């Protein structure tokens, strides 16, 4: 089927319907800050101690460097192709395909992993309300089907409804946690001031560096608004703002939450199973607050199932329009104007993976750790490629790029460090085999690229050229 025929049959994506707050919701929901706050500060504290805040500050700086480069591309190329389209501008079809596949692995992996988190916390919520069997395997599977099916439905139903649901759930979740943290500081009174957290004295710098790795992982998906180039209002201005300001806001939130958890719990932070619930108990929050807190984290996990699926759908949609994947994926639903064919595969695939792991006796939160780790490798590769592409693109186009060089260097070195830190020292099974699964997936995907290069080389000339003005549709 020719490109023109494909585009004529395509209803297109809905144009200019996403506001700035809705774009920010897409970005923040992909990060799932509430879920990160619930666990990451405690994990970093084990190695960094009172330097936990510094680890989050460094992670925020690294992410802003990546965001600066992505924003540079977003100001010039509004597309639904996200980093796949951006990398094409600097590294050509091969680099674009690598970035696209890596980002698909990252987005789908985070969605599937976060489904496990949503199942875990919803199960805990039912147990709190007296449903003791909610932790059984049949219950967990039923929750996976309901939650995953709901996320898939909303992404197909429309970008605005899925973004608004993500916005409401994430704002609710963050508000619940902020109420807890602010209340804790008020209760502490003068003891809330902890000067040791602002001093480098006794801070283990190796622990801070290792903590920075965990902090960076807490930002993956922050640039997901760049996949809404068609659907955003004034995308060349709104998307860069959403990317940078969401990263800043989440970074500040991470730093504040780390400070408060350490100020309240001290050394206990590295020992408790649920830091936020421990904070609630420490400051004598009323009993009814615990289920609200658990619901808030569950809501955050649900939002981060929805948001990455939106990204998966749009990247495959652009790839389909350009011929890098079967052209039938380059068409949208005639009524909802969403890439439903992709979403009807990606959503159920996430559900099936979680069910298989649950049947194998895996705890839902272990699913989150394992599958999110798989997805994180994809993000690390995609972020590195877009940083390198930014240098190549600006140099070739004669664009002033001193800051691009600086930010790209920081980004690539940091991503390399994150990758190495995740494979050495060799982690326990199954984390030790996940890097190999990632590499195998990338190589398997590249068989498609090599086939196209050999059989349909003309398709490669279309890679990276599908922008807003070329996404014909009725939207």
């Amino acid at each position: 089927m020719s490109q023109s025929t494909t585009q004529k049959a395509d209803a297109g994506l809905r144009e200019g319907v996403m506001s700035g707050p809705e774009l920010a919701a897409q970005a923040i929901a992909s990060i799932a800050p509430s879920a990160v706050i619930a666990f990451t500060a405690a994990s970093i504290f084990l190695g960094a101690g009172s330097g936990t805040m510094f680890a989050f500050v460094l992670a925020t700086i690294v992410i802003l460097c990546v965001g600066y480069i992505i924003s540079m591309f977003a100001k010039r190329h509004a597309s639904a192709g996200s980093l796949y389209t951006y990398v094409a501008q600097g590294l050509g079809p091969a680099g674009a395909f690598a970035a696209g596949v890596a980002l698909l692995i990252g987005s789908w992996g985070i969605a599937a992993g976060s489904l496990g988190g949503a199942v875990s916390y919803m199960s805990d919520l039912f147990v709190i309300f007296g449903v003791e069997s909610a932790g059984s395997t049949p219950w967990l599977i039923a929750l996976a089907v309901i939650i995953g099916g709901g996320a898939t439905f909303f992404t197909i139903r429309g970008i605005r409804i899925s973004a608004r649901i993500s916005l409401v759930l994430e704002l609710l979740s963050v508000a619940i946690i902020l109420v807890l943290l602010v209340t804790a500081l008020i209760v502490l009174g003068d003891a809330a001031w902890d000067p040791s957290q602002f001093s480098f004295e006794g801070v283990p710098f190796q622990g801070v560096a290792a903590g920075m790795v965990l902090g960076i992982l807490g930002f993956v998906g922050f640039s997901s608004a760049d996949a809404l180039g068609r659907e955003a209002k004034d995308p060349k201005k709104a998307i860069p703002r959403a990317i940078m300001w969401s990263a800043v806001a989440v970074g500040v939130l991470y730093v504040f939450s780390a400070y408060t958890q350490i100020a309240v719990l001290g050394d206990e932070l590295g020992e408790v199973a649920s830091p936020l619930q421990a904070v609630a108990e420490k400051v004598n929050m009323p009993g009814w607050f615990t289920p609200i807190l658990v619901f808030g984290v569950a809501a955050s996990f649900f939002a981060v199932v929805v948001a990455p699926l939106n990204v998966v759908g749009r990247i495959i949609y652009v790839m389909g329009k350009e011929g890098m994947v079967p052209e039938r994926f380059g068409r949208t639903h005639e009524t909802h104007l969403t890439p439903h064919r992709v979403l009807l595969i990606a959503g159920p695939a996430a559900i099936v993976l979680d069910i298989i792991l649950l049947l194998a006796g895996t705890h839902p939160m272990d699913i989150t750790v394992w599958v999110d780790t798989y997805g994180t490798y994809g993000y690390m590769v995609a972020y590195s490629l877009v940083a390198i592409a930014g240098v190549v693109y600006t140099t070739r186009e004669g664009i002033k790029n001193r800051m691009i060089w600086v930010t790209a260097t920081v980004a690539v070195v940091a991503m390399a460090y994150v990758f190495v830190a995740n494979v050495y020292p060799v982690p326990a099974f199954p984390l030790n085999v996940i890097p190999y699964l990632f590499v195998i997936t990338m190589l398997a995907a590249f068989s498609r690229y090599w086939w196209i290069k050999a059989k349909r080389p003309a398709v490669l000339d279309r890679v990276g050229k599908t922008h807003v003005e070329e996404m014909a549709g009725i939207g």
Side-chain angles (χ1 to χ4, degrees):
M1 184 178 289
S2 67
Q3 183 184 19
S4 61
T5 303
T6 300
Q7 290 187 348
K8 184 177 181 180
D10 177 26
L13 295 169
R14 209 173 290 277
E15 182 179 5
V17 296
M18 296 287 288
S19 65
E22 289 169 332
L23 291 173
Q26 169 70 24
I28 293 175
S30 291
I31 299 171
S34 301
V36 173
I37 290 170
F39 298 101
T40 304
S43 300
I44 294 175
F45 181 80
L46 291 173
S50 61
T52 299
M53 277 204 319
F54 296 130
F56 274 120
V57 169
L58 289 175
T60 303
I61 292 172
V62 170
I63 288 300
L64 287 175
C65 287
V66 177
Y68 182 84
I69 298 167
I70 295 174
S71 295
M72 179 274 296
F73 279 117
K75 291 175 182 176
R76 292 169 171 81
H77 302 279
S79 172
S82 185
L83 306 189
Y84 162 76
T85 297
Y86 300 162
V87 172
Q89 314 310 314
L91 302 183
F97 190 81
V101 171
L103 191 57
L104 287 172
I105 292 173
S107 299
W108 182 83
I110 295 299
S114 297
L115 177 58
V119 167
S120 179
Y121 272 85
M122 284 304 298
S123 170
D124 290 346
L125 186 62
F126 279 113
V127 170
I128 290 174
F129 285 121
V131 185
E132 297 297 332
S133 61
S136 65
T137 300
W139 259 90
L140 297 176
I141 291 175
L143 287 172
V145 172
I146 293 170
I147 296 171
T152 304
F153 170 77
F154 288 126
T155 56
I156 293 174
R157 184 62 180 79
I159 185 61
R160 293 198 77 183
I161 187 172
S162 62
R164 287 175 176 177
I165 287 172
S166 296
L167 176 62
V168 170
L169 291 178
E170 204 56 57
L171 286 179
L172 177 63
S173 180
V174 170
I176 292 169
I177 292 176
L178 284 177
V179 166
L180 170 63
L181 298 179
V182 172
T183 301
L185 292 179
I186 293 172
V187 170
L188 285 180
D190 292 340
W193 170 242
D194 185 5
S196 67
Q197 294 195 57
F198 296 91
S199 171
F200 289 106
E201 184 177 350
V203 171
F205 289 101
Q206 186 173 358
V208 171
M212 180 193 72
V213 172
L214 294 175
I216 290 173
L217 301 185
F219 281 94
V220 293
F222 81 103
S223 66
S224 63
D226 61 9
L228 304 177
R230 169 75 173 179
E231 291 140 310
K233 297 176 183 177
D234 196 7
K236 294 183 179 179
K237 291 182 179 179
I239 290 176
R241 289 173 183 167
I243 291 172
M244 296 301 285
W245 282 110
S246 62
V248 170
V250 171
V252 170
L253 183 62
Y254 286 168
V255 171
F256 173 70
S257 67
Y259 173 85
T260 306
Q261 289 180 66
I262 294 172
V264 175
L265 298 176
D267 291 339
E268 292 180 37
L269 179 58
E271 302 168 359
V272 296
S274 179
L276 292 180
Q277 291 185 45
V279 170
E281 293 171 4
K282 195 85 169 181
V283 298
N284 296 316
M285 293 293 285
W288 51 260
F289 186 78
T290 297
I292 292 176
L293 181 62
V294 172
F295 173 77
V297 179
S300 179
F301 272 118
F302 178 78
V304 82
V305 178
V306 173
L309 285 178
N310 281 327
V311 177
V312 170
R314 279 141 189 85
I315 294 174
I316 292 290
Y317 170 72
V318 172
M319 284 182 158
K321 289 183 76 68
E322 295 177 350
M324 293 302 292
V325 298
E327 281 85 348
R328 63 179 175 273
F329 293 118
R331 305 173 204 163
T332 59
H333 192 280
E334 292 183 2
T335 302
H336 304 313
L337 304 184
T338 54
H340 60 297
R341 288 183 173 89
V342 181
L343 296 170
L344 284 172
I345 296 173
I351 298 170
V352 169
L353 175 62
D354 280 39
I355 290 175
I356 291 172
L357 292 173
L358 288 170
L359 289 173
T362 308
H363 190 280
M365 286 310 299
D366 285 334
I367 294 176
T368 299
V369 173
W370 299 350
V371 184
D372 277 7
T373 299
Y374 172 72
T376 296
Y377 287 118
Y379 277 113
M380 296 303 103
V381 170
Y383 290 160
S384 297
L385 287 172
V386 79
I388 296 170
V391 172
V392 175
Y393 171 76
T394 53
T395 300
R396 187 184 65 232
E397 298 295 319
I399 300 171
K400 188 176 180 180
N401 66 350
R402 181 176 298 177
M403 275 300 295
I404 293 293
W405 270 98
V406 172
T407 53
T409 300
V410 172
V412 172
V413 170
M415 294 306 117
Y417 181 73
V418 170
F419 193 90
V420 171
N422 274 276
V423 299
Y424 185 83
V426 178
F429 179 85
L431 294 177
N432 61 328
V433 302
I434 291 177
Y436 301 101
L437 292 177
F438 169 72
V439 172
I440 291 170
T441 308
M442 289 291 293
L443 291 175
F446 254 88
S447 64
R448 171 72 180 181
Y449 177 84
W450 293 321
W451 181 85
I452 289 175
K453 186 176 181 181
K455 303 294 185 179
R456 302 176 60 193
V459 169
L460 300 182
D461 294 332
R462 288 151 48 185
V463 172
K465 295 182 173 63
T466 302
H467 305 307
V468 167
E469 58 273 13
E470 295 162 333
M471 292 182 184
I474 63 175

